[in-house]
Amino acid sequence: MGELVDHVDEQDRVVGVVDRAEAVRLGRLHRIATIVCRDEGGRFLVHRRPDDAVRFPGRYNWMLGGAADVGESYEEAAARELSEELGVQAAPRFVFTFRCAGAISPYWLGLHEVVITTVVRPNALEIAWHDWVTERELASLVRQQQFVPDAREAFDRYQDLSRPTGPQPDARGAVGRPARSGSGR
């Protein structure tokens, strides 16, 4: 038996335990915890997966993460993944979850964020290269073909959170049409 994960339903409620490889093969929902890392200046960590990685070899991503173990919360899994992949001990802040169709199989994605104030020590089995980029640079990178496809949807949802909702005043203070909503799609 391989890596065991919680099998969850359409409402992200645990309904059983399944081998992760089987969950992927059969399209069974399970949980993935991700972490968005920022530095004290607000830049985002971007990394490239190793060319020999099982999932998304050589592709770029703006999130770290992996499957939540059986009985493990999104937050616990995010903290564990942060330690395993960057050697950083921290408690990432939960941001949101959403059901991701997934390029490989569907899953529930729990997104967290953390500000990194220490030196990172990337695990070479998970990260071949990394750098810190501005939000504008990240928005451009995410659209490139070499980026992990699921990361694009997560980035769009993350950006939606920072956009104001409802009518917004223009430079003169006049209210114009509503901005795009940050809530689900």
Side-chain angles (χ1 to χ4, degrees), residues 2 8 26 41 51 56 58-59 67-69 80-81 88 110 120 123-124 130 132 146-147 173 176 179:
V8 296
L26 299 175
D51 290 333
F56 305 112
R59 295 281 184 109
D69 292 338
R80 176 180 49 77
E81 292 288 342
V88 172
V120 297
N123 178 340
H130 74 282
W132 298 94
Q146 300 87 354
F147 230 82

Side-chain angles (χ1 to χ4, degrees), residues 37-118:
C37 300
R38 298 183 81 166
D39 67 8
E40 292 175 291
R43 295 178 305 167
F44 292 85
L45 180 77
V46 174
H47 68 280
R48 186 174 60 78
R49 310 254 315 131
D51 290 333
D52 60 353
V54 174
R55 292 182 178 85
F56 305 112
R59 295 281 184 109
Y60 292 85
N61 202 338
W62 71 295
M63 302 179 295
L64 302 170
D69 292 338
V70 172
E72 189 176 41
S73 72
Y74 283 110
E75 292 83 359
E76 292 166 338
R80 176 180 49 77
E81 292 288 342
L82 183 62
S83 175
E84 291 174 2
E85 295 188 24
L86 282 187
V88 172
Q89 302 297 316
R93 183 182 71 83
F94 176 81
V95 180
F96 61 81
T97 62
F98 72 96
R99 187 189 180 286
C100 184
I104 296 174
S105 76
Y107 57 90
W108 276 92
L109 184 143
L111 190 139
H112 304 75
E113 61 186 357
V114 67
V115 174
I116 305 276
T117 60
T118 62

Side-chain angles (χ1 to χ4, degrees), residues 1-8 13-20 22-23 28-30 68-72:
M1 181 78 51
E3 177 184 13
L4 295 179
V5 295
D6 285 328
H7 175 209
V8 296
R13 295 179 302 222
V14 177
V15 295
V17 173
V18 65
D19 178 85
R20 183 175 183 199
E22 180 182 331
R28 294 190 175 156
L29 292 172
H30 55 290
D69 292 338
V70 172
E72 189 176 41

